[in-house]
Amino acid sequence: MTPDASHAKDKLALTPELREAIREIAGTEHLLVAMDFDGTMAPIVGHADDARPLPRSATAFAGLAVLPRTTTALISGRALASLRAVASPPVNTLLIGSHGAEAWLGPGSTGLTLEPEQEALLAEVRAVLEDIVKEAPGTMLEDKPAGVVLHTRLAPDDVANDAVAAARSLLQDRKGVFLKDGKRVLETSVVNASKGEGVTFLRQITGATGVLFAGDDTTDEDALARLEPGDVGVKVGLDFTQAQYRVEAPVHVAELLEVLLQERSMAVAEEDPGT
């Protein structure tokens, strides 16, 4: 495929209906642009530490972050420290990590603090998962402030399925432990939170009159379910979703953000001629 043909194919990623929805929400009084990171701003990779946002997405997102009456946010399953390291977000971008259990709302934000009982429970959960990983080649653990993640992306399908099934059987009925399925991961946490709660919280604290959210994982459905009439929800990928709109891959998210930046820049310029 020639470069021109490839570019033309990418241009088909945003349907006319999605483009119109972007134009409409770009004119809202206060816009919240909330994005998942892995699989949305950045392609999925084998090792989480290697993930980086696509340059086009990062550039457009940074452009949105400095516009008047526009708030950018990342809502991720990653711990905040990991999210900062791989995403390098604009300095004024709000961050929701660990599926809503952590939040950074600017200088002075306090970190997550667990109760002693939660810390003890988290240690028990980790011990259970450690035993499973020892018997499941290709699986690994990721520690978060409120949980432990069982990663199975590098394991054969049968090993991955058995590892997740074993973890579920041992943890799903344990009081105070919360499980979430993701793409080749099982998230465990001792704090009950969701990306949906993250979206609602950000809407409240920013006073947003419109929200655009995009995500690719099953955990992003919680956020999509919290969107209100007039908001724009975008599913990245071909899995089942309740989102109104869909794009196929992170490269198309870059196009979406570029269109949103163009439309929002024009909208705020019309209302604030000095911008």
Side-chain angles (χ1 to χ4, degrees):
M1 181 179 290
T2 66
D4 287 344
S6 175
H7 183 68
K9 180 178 183 296
D10 284 351
K11 281 299 183 185
L12 298 177
L14 304 190
T15 64
E17 293 80 8
L18 177 52
R19 287 179 177 271
E20 179 58 29
I22 293 171
R23 279 193 289 270
E24 289 183 4
I25 201 165
T28 195
E29 174 62 23
H30 190 119
L31 175 64
L32 170 62
V33 184
M35 307 294 289
D36 173 46
F37 183 72
D38 295 281
T40 301
M41 295 282 288
I44 295 292
V45 293
H47 294 281
D49 291 345
D50 294 335
R52 294 294 184 274
L54 292 177
R56 286 172 56 197
S57 289
T59 298
F61 195 65
L64 287 161
V66 298
L67 291 179
R69 305 191 318 280
T70 305
T71 301
T72 53
L74 294 176
I75 303 180
S76 175
R78 287 179 180 264
L80 285 186
S82 173
L83 183 59
R84 286 194 186 93
V86 298
S88 300
V91 293
N92 53 348
T93 291
L94 307 183
L95 304 176
I96 299 291
S98 298
H99 297 285
E102 295 183 277
W104 185 84
L105 308 176
S109 290
T110 57
L112 175 67
T113 301
L114 298 181
E115 299 293 332
E117 296 81 2
Q118 291 175 310
E119 292 180 349
L121 182 57
L122 182 57
E124 294 174 12
V125 170
R126 196 182 202 289
V128 168
L129 295 178
E130 280 180 336
D131 288 341
I132 293 173
V133 166
K134 289 176 184 177
E135 303 298 326
T139 64
M140 64 185 71
L141 299 183
E142 175 193 358
D143 290 303
K144 295 183 178 180
V148 184
V149 186
L150 173 62
H151 286 267
T152 65
R153 192 175 304 280
L154 301 180
D157 288 346
D158 58 338
V159 174
N161 292 337
D162 287 347
V164 170
R168 278 198 163 278
S169 68
L170 294 170
L171 297 174
Q172 63 185 356
D173 295 325
R174 187 166 297 199
K175 185 178 180 181
V177 177
F178 306 94
L179 306 181
K180 293 181 185 293
D181 288 305
K183 289 185 176 180
R184 303 288 292 205
V185 300
L186 178 67
E187 302 264 358
T188 73
S189 179
V190 295
V191 174
N192 191 12
S194 72
K195 291 183 179 181
E197 292 171 343
V199 165
T200 298
F201 177 61
L202 290 176
R203 187 198 302 272
Q204 292 172 344
I205 66 167
T206 61
T209 54
V211 177
L212 184 146
F213 175 82
D216 75 306
D217 209 340
T218 53
T219 56
D220 294 310
E221 294 298 314
D222 291 333
L224 291 165
R226 295 292 188 97
L227 298 183
E228 300 178 358
D231 293 340
V232 176
V234 181
K235 175 72 171 186
V236 185
L238 304 179
D239 295 337
F240 172 80
T241 184
Q242 57 195 310
Q244 315 106 300
Y245 307 101
R246 184 192 298 273
V247 297
E248 187 173 350
V251 66
H252 306 130
V253 175
E255 182 184 354
L256 181 157
L257 289 170
E258 288 171 344
V259 172
L260 180 61
L261 174 60
Q262 180 181 28
E263 296 290 341
R264 183 63 174 170
S265 296
M266 291 190 295
V268 297
E270 290 175 0
E271 298 179 16
D272 303 316
T275 60

